Amino acid sequence: MIKKVLVANRGEIAMRIFRSCRVMNLPTVAIYTHADRGALHVRYAEEAYCISENEADTSYLKPEIILNIAKKTGAAIHPGYGFLSENADFARRCEEEGVVFIGPSADIIAKMGIKTEARKIMEAAGVPIVPGTKEPVSMENVHAKAKEVGYPIMLKALAGGGGKGMRMVRKEEDLEAAFRMSASEAANSFGDDAIYIEKYIENPHHIEVQVLGDKYGNVIHLYERECSIQRRNQKVIEESPSPFVKEETRKKMLAIAVAACKKIGYYSAGTLEFMMDKDQNFYFLEMNTRLQVEHPVTEACTGVDLVRDMILIAGGSPLPYKQEEIEFRGAAIECRIYAEDPESNFMPSPGVIRVREAPEGRNVRLDSCAYAGFEVSLHYDPMIAKLCSWGRNRESAISNMRRALREYKILGIKTTIPFHQRVLQNSTFLKGNYDTTFIDTKFDKEELKRRENNDPTVAIIAASLKHFEQEKEAAARATTVPLVGESLWKHYGKLQMSANNF
Ligand code: ADP
Ligand code: ADP
Ligand code: MG
């Protein structure tokens, strides 16, 4: 039995996990860096520990310190996603030192963390895999191996994650340069420069299957998610069910995923990712041995609380449901909201959030770490929130999402909200037959700028600001005169502060 939960993470996912703990009446422990001392997850937890006294240290990758805090507080560790979530050594140390790790076994994490290993295991378990090399390639044999697989190919890092170290190559003359770049990016991101080759699947759909297993060999699936709206091989919008997958293919895919997980003895929540071509052929891509960013769409359609179940399973409980008891209802969409400027090629947009109005109401879910006054720093992932909508069917989920996006107001930094609004009006998206090339080929980025300039709310805000400035100037002339020698900047700064009631 788990009596307390430490979340070895930050941001929206730390909040997400703490919320389920509160529902389960489990006390919580937060960890934080100096840069995050004002973060929401620190305030929400019953206990919070700073994991670095060093102001410049913004890392959450501290196995030793986190383990010690878990032992001291008697907490199990939920790693969230990113950071230590797929670090097999960390999971193993937890196992060895008697700290419950809320996730799968260290052994499975280790195997699935190496993509070539994962491919072998899945192939042996009867799962079709993307054609490619079984072993890593070197500068010496990369030409021959690429020819064998057949162009176009994808160079991929064995240790890959977060879309890093991946490069598509169409022609042999581009191979060497691409190989060097992939290897160096992989070395920088993962401390491992090993690269292997996959056949590049043209116009693929990214479809993934959510699974949930216990320590007694029971495994169920929670249907699929379509994650083909991507930028730089990273998902930005996800939905469930996939509007592309045919019923017959779905059945086959779900059955294969469950059978494979039973075969490898998988427990906890996990995701099998697949590439699907236009003819509904699907190939295993990788397995993520953790809670996925986009899990809320699955929760919306199945009613399952994945975090709660992960905690129960880690504590030794059997799966709380049988496959037949999972009832899939309606459709759900998730938009990942980033602190980026979609009008300037998605440049990072750090800074202090001045105003935040969150969408509310029927069939809308917001998982967020943002509040007015919160500073979005460059040190961390720029994703500040996930907005999720549900509907009885896809059309209604889309209408609800559009409504929620209109209500969502964040001022002070730029966000990707206008981008999502655009996608949710795009005819290809509405038809539901989009692939991973959507943003590059079907989405008019220029239109985003035109829309921004024509938006009446922009005009209203501009007019209000102008009016405010004029009033302020008039007030300044009438009531205050700068003290002799006082800087005008300071003077107006003070006026500004009193106007904002700071
Ligand atoms: P998901 O399918 O859940 O989105 P991703 O592989 O995209 O999984 O990663 C989940 C999160 O972890 C993302 O926020 C991503 O930025 C981060 N992440 C994953 N792997 C890495 C990595 N190697 N380096 C940096 N960030 C990573
Ligand atoms: P990561 O570990 O970074 O999440 P994945 O192997 O899951 O890497 O791939 C991420 C994305 O990259 C996929 O969703 C897809 O868009 C693209 N991709 C990866 N492999 C291929 C491939 N063989 N063919 C076409 N696209 C691919
Ligand atoms: Mg992936």
Side-chain angles (χ1 to χ4, degrees), residues 115 160-163 166 206 208 233 235 273 285-288 290 292:
K115 291 197 172 177
M166 204 181 297
H206 175 120
E208 57 186 36
N233 301 315
K235 306 154 189 167
E273 298 188 330
L285 192 59
E286 67 159 343
M287 178 161 194
N288 291 327
R290 55 169 163 83
Q292 205 96 344

Coordinates of all heavy atoms in Angstrom, one line a residue, residues 115 160-163 166 206 208 233 235 273 285-288 290 292, ligand 3:
K115 N 15.9 1.8 -28.6 CA 14.9 1.5 -29.7 C 15.1 0.3 -30.4 O 14.2 -0.4 -30.8 CB 14.8 2.8 -30.6 CG 14.2 3.9 -29.9 CD 13.7 5.0 -30.8 CE 12.9 6.0 -29.9 NZ 12.4 7.1 -30.6
G160 N 16.8 7.7 -28.4 CA 15.9 8.8 -28.8 C 14.7 9.1 -27.9 O 14.2 8.2 -27.2
G161 N 14.3 10.4 -27.9 CA 13.1 10.8 -27.2 C 12.9 12.3 -27.5 O 13.9 13.0 -27.9
G162 N 11.7 12.8 -27.4 CA 11.4 14.2 -27.6 C 11.7 14.6 -29.0 O 12.0 15.8 -29.2
G163 N 11.7 13.7 -30.0 CA 11.9 14.1 -31.4 C 13.4 14.4 -31.7 O 13.7 14.9 -32.8
M166 N 16.8 12.9 -34.9 CA 16.1 12.2 -35.9 C 16.2 12.9 -37.2 O 16.0 14.2 -37.2 CB 14.6 12.1 -35.5 CG 13.8 11.0 -36.1 SD 12.1 11.2 -35.6 CE 12.2 10.9 -33.9
H206 N 0.5 9.0 -37.0 CA 1.0 8.5 -35.7 C -0.2 8.1 -34.9 O -1.0 8.9 -34.5 CB 1.8 9.6 -35.0 CG 2.2 9.2 -33.6 ND1 3.6 9.1 -33.3 CD2 1.6 8.8 -32.5 CE1 3.7 8.7 -32.0 NE2 2.5 8.5 -31.5
E208 N -1.3 5.7 -31.6 CA -0.8 5.0 -30.4 C -1.8 4.3 -29.6 O -3.0 4.8 -29.6 CB 0.1 5.9 -29.6 CG -0.7 7.1 -29.1 CD 0.2 8.1 -28.3 OE1 1.3 8.3 -28.7 OE2 -0.3 8.8 -27.4
N233 N 8.5 16.6 -35.3 CA 8.3 15.3 -34.8 C 7.8 15.3 -33.4 O 8.0 14.3 -32.7 CB 9.6 14.4 -35.0 CG 10.0 14.3 -36.4 OD1 9.2 14.1 -37.3 ND2 11.3 14.5 -36.7
K235 N 4.4 16.0 -30.9 CA 3.0 16.1 -31.0 C 2.5 17.5 -30.5 O 3.0 18.0 -29.5 CB 2.3 15.1 -30.1 CG 2.7 13.7 -30.5 CD 2.5 12.8 -29.3 CE 3.2 11.4 -29.6 NZ 3.3 10.6 -28.4
E273 N 3.5 3.1 -29.6 CA 3.4 4.0 -30.7 C 3.5 3.3 -32.1 O 4.4 2.5 -32.2 CB 4.4 5.2 -30.6 CG 4.2 6.0 -29.3 CD 5.1 7.2 -29.3 OE1 6.1 7.2 -29.9 OE2 4.6 8.2 -28.7
L285 N 6.6 1.6 -33.6 CA 7.6 2.7 -33.6 C 8.4 2.7 -32.3 O 9.6 2.6 -32.4 CB 6.8 4.0 -33.7 CG 7.6 5.3 -34.0 CD1 8.3 5.2 -35.4 CD2 6.6 6.5 -34.1
E286 N 7.8 2.7 -31.2 CA 8.5 2.7 -29.9 C 7.4 2.5 -28.8 O 6.2 2.6 -29.0 CB 9.3 3.9 -29.6 CG 8.4 5.2 -29.4 CD 9.2 6.3 -28.7 OE1 10.2 6.0 -28.0 OE2 8.7 7.4 -28.7
M287 N 7.9 2.1 -27.6 CA 7.0 2.0 -26.5 C 7.5 3.0 -25.4 O 8.6 3.1 -25.1 CB 7.1 0.6 -25.9 CG 6.1 0.6 -24.6 SD 5.7 -1.1 -24.2 CE 4.3 -0.8 -23.1
N288 N 6.5 3.8 -25.0 CA 6.8 4.8 -23.9 C 6.3 4.2 -22.6 O 5.1 3.9 -22.4 CB 6.1 6.1 -24.1 CG 6.8 6.8 -25.3 OD1 8.0 6.7 -25.5 ND2 6.0 7.6 -26.1
R290 N 5.7 4.9 -19.6 CA 5.3 6.0 -18.6 C 4.0 6.5 -18.9 O 3.3 6.2 -19.9 CB 6.4 7.1 -18.7 CG 6.5 7.6 -20.1 CD 7.3 8.9 -20.2 NE 7.7 9.1 -21.6 CZ 6.9 9.7 -22.5 NH1 5.7 10.1 -22.2 NH2 7.4 10.0 -23.7
Q292 N 1.8 9.3 -20.5 CA 2.0 10.1 -21.7 C 1.4 11.5 -21.5 O 0.4 11.6 -20.8 CB 1.3 9.4 -22.9 CG 1.9 9.7 -24.2 CD 2.9 8.7 -24.7 OE1 3.4 7.9 -23.9 NE2 3.2 8.7 -25.9
Ligands
MG3 MG 7.6 8.8 -29.6

